[in-house]
Amino acid sequence: MNELKQITKIKTEANIGNRFVAGLIDFIIVYGFLVILFITIGEQNSDGSYSISGAPAFIPIIFWFLVIVGMECTVGATIGNLIIGLKPIPIDGEERKLTFGESFKRHFLDSLDFSPIGYLLIKNTEKNQRIGDLWAKTIVIKTVQEGN
């Protein structure tokens, strides 16, 4: 069966404030979960910090994959992006959910993308892309129209 793919020519916008808030929401969810996890099942160290070892040490990685990469692959956006009204799509404009590889690449270097480097790239690249978007060949578009 031939499936008609919807490809749209899209003009991107920096949306730095919205993108920052969306990322902040996502990482509040991830880090909030981690704090609760470490306090509830972690062992307190002599300096007052908490640590997790053994198989439970994989829980934070699995949670990150589910909440960040998994959401983009299954729902089409992370929780933060859904709330703010943003959606990552392939750079060719095809309106589809990202693949696992695209989403993983987008978020693998999030720590750099939340630094001034990410800001400078979004402001100075033709399609307003950060490091992860450049590597994954993705762009971020608005999903809701303002003022309508």
Side-chain angles (χ1 to χ4, degrees):
M1 292 186 163
N2 279 344
E3 195 176 302
L4 181 63
K5 293 182 181 179
Q6 181 177 351
I7 299 179
T8 313
K9 184 158 176 94
I10 296 174
K11 180 184 177 294
T12 61
E13 298 174 21
N15 291 318
I16 290 176
N18 287 345
R19 290 174 77 168
F20 177 80
V21 171
L24 186 62
I25 291 168
D26 291 335
F27 284 93
I28 286 172
I29 292 168
V30 170
Y31 288 115
F33 172 81
L34 295 180
V35 167
I36 292 167
L37 177 73
F38 274 73
I39 290 172
T40 56
I41 70 168
E43 294 181 20
Q44 191 167 15
N45 302 319
S46 61
D47 64 357
S49 63
Y50 288 85
S51 63
I52 296 176
S53 59
F58 289 103
I59 295 172
I61 297 166
I62 294 167
F63 186 77
W64 177 81
F65 267 107
L66 291 174
V67 172
I68 303 298
V69 177
M71 286 286 295
E72 274 189 355
C73 295
T74 59
V75 179
T78 63
I79 295 169
N81 281 341
L82 288 171
I83 291 170
I84 300 300
L86 298 173
K87 177 182 179 181
I89 62 170
I91 199 167
D92 66 8
E94 183 181 346
E95 295 214 22
R96 63 166 170 78
K97 297 171 189 157
L98 298 183
T99 64
F100 175 85
E102 289 167 333
S103 182
F104 180 78
K105 287 177 182 178
R106 282 194 79 238
H107 293 288
F108 184 72
L109 298 173
D110 274 351
S111 58
L112 283 175
D113 283 331
F114 277 104
S115 73
I117 294 168
Y119 170 81
L120 289 171
L121 282 172
I122 290 171
K123 288 296 279 181
N124 294 300
T125 55
E126 179 184 347
K127 297 184 188 264
N128 307 109
Q129 296 166 285
R130 57 193 182 93
I131 296 168
D133 290 319
L134 290 166
W135 185 24
K137 296 180 176 65
T138 58
I139 56 176
V140 176
I141 61 170
K142 287 184 192 178
T143 59
V144 292
Q145 295 294 328
E146 293 177 13
N148 288 339

